[in-house]
Amino acid sequence: MSPEQLLEEEMQAINWNDVDEYPTFSDCDTATTNQEKKACFENHLHELLTSHLEKQIIIVTEDVSDTVLLKIHIDKTGQFSIRNIDMDAMTKAQIPHLDSILRHSFDSLPKIYPAIKRSQQVATEFSLPVIVNIN
């Protein structure tokens, strides 16, 4: 078996959800543990999202209280994308443009350093809950 085939086989055997280092921003360099880096990364995403949502004028006819789940994908080059946005049917009916608001809130992300597994940059996916409470 060639070294390339062995590497490919090894890559298939790795549990990509269990990474050595989570994706991160340069702002999170001071975090020392993997859990701190993960928390810093998620907090940074939440802050960007919150500041963007606060600038939006959203008018609803009924109160909306929902936890929207963003399925986020970061490829091995650090490219960020939202794979899926899961929200309640009533939330979607009350705020039909919420999907695009959420997607655009990440337009100005700083450079993302991808996750690391066995010294290799790898793609990762995770869910980011967003609480929507409008009345």
Side-chain angles (χ1 to χ4, degrees):
M1 194 178 270
S2 75
E4 290 82 16
Q5 288 172 315
L6 281 172
L7 178 63
E8 184 61 33
E9 200 170 285
E10 178 72 9
M11 296 293 252
Q12 298 301 322
I14 294 173
N15 177 359
W16 297 111
N17 295 323
D18 180 26
V19 294
D20 298 333
E21 288 183 40
Y22 285 97
T24 189
F25 296 109
S26 60
D27 291 0
C28 298
D29 282 348
T30 57
T32 53
T33 68
N34 210 13
Q35 285 306 106
E36 286 175 1
K37 285 182 181 182
K38 181 182 181 197
C40 178
F41 183 75
E42 289 177 354
N43 288 339
H44 202 70
L45 290 177
H46 270 290
E47 287 168 15
L48 276 170
L49 192 58
T50 303
S51 73
H52 184 76
L53 287 175
E54 286 173 351
K55 295 174 192 166
Q56 304 300 312
I57 298 170
I58 299 173
I59 300 168
V60 293
T61 56
E62 293 179 44
D63 292 355
V64 174
S65 184
D66 189 13
T67 300
V68 177
L69 211 52
L70 305 180
K71 185 71 146 186
I72 294 175
H73 177 84
I74 299 168
D75 74 11
K76 62 184 180 181
T77 66
Q79 288 294 337
F80 177 96
S81 62
I82 298 175
R83 288 280 169 98
N84 189 33
I85 299 177
D86 186 26
M87 69 181 88
D88 191 71
M90 196 198 68
T91 303
K92 191 156 189 69
Q94 286 292 318
I95 316 168
H97 57 289
L98 183 60
D99 189 291
S100 64
I101 290 172
L102 292 170
R103 289 180 190 279
H104 288 301
S105 62
F106 296 112
D107 284 350
S108 61
L109 277 176
K111 177 175 174 34
I112 297 174
Y113 298 96
I116 304 290
K117 179 73 176 182
R118 294 191 186 167
S119 302
Q120 298 289 319
Q121 294 180 331
V122 296
T124 50
E125 279 195 3
F126 61 95
S127 296
L128 185 69
V130 178
I131 296 170
V132 177
N133 212 347
I134 303 171
N135 41 12

